[in-house]
Amino acid sequence: MREPSVDRRQRILAAVQSRGAARVSELATELEVSVVTVRRDVEQLARAGRLRRGHGVARSVVPVQQVPEADGSPAPGGAVAIVVPERHAYLNEVVHGARIALEEAGMRVVLHIAPQRTDLARADLERILSGAARGLLIAPRWRSSSMEDADHGWLAEAGVPTVLMERRPRAGSALHVMDSVCSDHWYGVHLAVEHLVSMGHRRVVLAARDDSPTARAVRSAFAEIAAARPEVEDWSVVLSAPDAGPDPDDPPLPPLQLAGLLRERGATAALLHGDVEALMLVQQLAEHGMRVPADCSVVAYNDVVAALGSPPLTAVAPPKAEVGRAAAELLMQRLATVRPPGGWRPCRVELLPELKIRGSTAPLSV
């Protein structure tokens, strides 16, 4: 006998409220009806204000009540807080990867955006976690090393399972033993330098920010790699933009004329962190009568919008979405097990970037 629609919708509502979120395809399998039927039921329940619709996902509008299993282990489902800085396109892809993995597992995602000119404070984190979040995925801004140091003590004591995303704590710090998932930025810079050297470029400039952990990792890696390559005759590291320094209270620097610097040093290649700065360099070079890649090869670091350039930019592409997914999966492993005495053995995951070769790099013309 066919189940009445009102009963079926009640079962859908109960399933979504117990998990926080559920995929429409999974609900259809559980209820042994078509995806179209469940989608219509979800739309009806959403119009009634009893749940919220997402892309193939139904979400609860009430807090999930967590009930421990009989053996004392945590119950599945619940909410995870994700904290990232404001206006950070790079981390948007990281968040997307984490969100997909969490929602596929029936977890509810609560996103918190840290204002652009401030770092997360302990009071902010306590407020975020007061919303019954069972776990935390976080990418602190850390504009400077001193800001990072100031956060180490209290962030390590968040009180819920926590995974750092796209952040690698300094060796020996309090966060050194915290779970983290990060791109291997040393390897990403290595790919860029190897590509340029293989095409005969011997004089290379890195223009990079200095106001984030990723920026500092890229700058450090470039200095180490370029200094160790005998083929590189001349290299330098400069700020990629007037406001790219670590201290927002410092007076702005005069406009950076990177094109003039490249000409002055006789550089034939440049690595830019990130994409927007690389796109602006191509325009600046054109204004100075320099062609890309005929007169100067350009590599972007990030690959968020690099492919949209004219020419499309060769770019180092960190595995942004994969970092988010891996961080979410690691956090869910922690949530699915009872914390042992002394805590879990810390896990530090590094994923390798890749180089996307496009039209902005070419062999050096002799």
Side-chain angles (χ1 to χ4, degrees):
M1 182 177 178
R2 187 174 182 180
E3 180 181 30
S5 60
V6 64
D7 292 342
R8 186 178 61 249
R9 289 169 187 165
Q10 190 59 39
R11 292 174 62 193
I12 291 173
L13 186 62
V16 173
Q17 288 180 342
S18 67
R19 305 172 196 173
R23 297 188 68 81
V24 169
S25 57
E26 294 171 352
L27 291 170
T29 300
E30 294 171 15
L31 299 174
E32 298 182 342
V33 295
S34 70
V35 171
V36 173
T37 297
V38 174
R39 188 178 295 120
R40 289 172 179 165
D41 288 339
V42 168
E43 290 174 354
Q44 180 65 32
L45 290 166
R47 282 196 294 270
R50 305 187 71 186
L51 53 74
R52 293 181 292 116
R53 293 173 55 205
H55 295 291
V57 177
R59 299 186 181 89
S60 176
V61 295
V62 297
V64 178
Q65 298 299 318
Q66 295 298 326
V67 181
E69 301 288 353
D71 61 0
S73 63
V80 168
I82 300 180
V83 181
V84 293
E86 179 186 10
R87 300 178 190 172
H88 207 306
Y90 179 97
L91 288 174
N92 288 347
E93 296 190 38
V94 177
V95 170
H96 179 72
R99 170 178 161 242
I100 294 301
L102 291 166
E103 291 183 347
E104 286 177 348
M107 305 290 291
R108 185 163 58 93
V109 175
V110 182
L111 181 63
H112 294 271
I113 306 299
Q116 188 172 12
R117 287 299 182 181
T118 62
D119 268 16
L120 187 72
R122 184 167 194 161
D124 297 325
L125 185 62
E126 290 173 351
R127 174 180 53 80
I128 290 168
L129 296 179
S130 67
R134 297 181 58 211
L136 176 65
L137 296 174
I138 185 169
R141 185 181 305 279
W142 286 343
R143 290 182 61 93
S144 66
S145 297
S146 60
M147 290 180 177
E148 180 179 344
D149 292 340
D151 286 355
H152 280 186
W154 60 264
L155 189 54
E157 302 172 355
V160 298
T162 300
V163 179
L164 290 171
M165 299 189 302
E166 204 58 291
R167 298 291 183 258
R168 175 66 68 236
R170 190 178 66 258
S173 69
L175 295 188
H176 193 177
V177 293
M178 177 176 276
D179 289 335
S180 62
V181 179
C182 185
S183 300
D184 185 343
H185 295 299
W186 186 96
Y187 184 72
V189 174
H190 162 76
L191 290 176
V193 174
E194 182 71 23
H195 175 61
L196 294 171
V197 167
S198 71
M199 294 188 298
H201 296 283
R202 301 292 181 261
R203 306 177 76 84
V204 184
V205 169
L206 168 71
R209 307 189 68 85
D210 192 24
D211 58 357
S212 76
T214 296
R216 291 189 289 275
V218 168
R219 294 165 68 92
S220 175
F222 180 82
E224 176 186 338
I225 292 168
R229 293 295 299 253
E231 304 97 325
V232 179
E233 298 172 0
D234 184 79
W235 60 272
S236 59
V237 178
V238 298
L239 283 177
S240 58
D243 62 347
D247 190 347
D249 295 326
D250 283 346
L253 297 173
L256 178 69
Q257 292 299 321
L258 185 54
L261 175 65
L262 292 170
R263 189 186 296 256
E264 176 185 325
R265 300 191 70 97
T268 60
L271 172 61
L272 276 290
H273 175 262
D275 292 2
V276 171
E277 287 82 359
L279 292 169
M280 293 177 66
L281 172 62
V282 173
Q283 297 174 19
Q284 192 180 117
L285 288 171
E287 293 170 359
H288 284 70
M290 298 175 68
R291 300 163 298 163
V292 174
D295 299 318
C296 182
S297 285
V298 175
V299 178
Y301 198 104
N302 275 357
D303 199 36
V304 176
V305 294
L308 303 180
S310 179
L313 301 183
T314 294
V316 176
K320 299 173 280 293
E322 291 86 346
V323 165
R325 173 173 285 274
E329 290 173 347
L330 175 56
L331 180 63
M332 287 188 288
Q333 289 177 18
R334 301 309 195 202
L335 294 174
T337 59
V338 178
R339 183 182 178 91
W344 295 287
R345 185 182 298 275
C347 183
R348 305 182 72 188
V349 179
E350 281 193 331
L351 303 179
L352 298 182
E354 61 179 324
L355 184 69
K356 302 288 186 66
I357 300 177
R358 303 188 180 104
S360 65
T361 52
L364 179 65
S365 300
V366 180

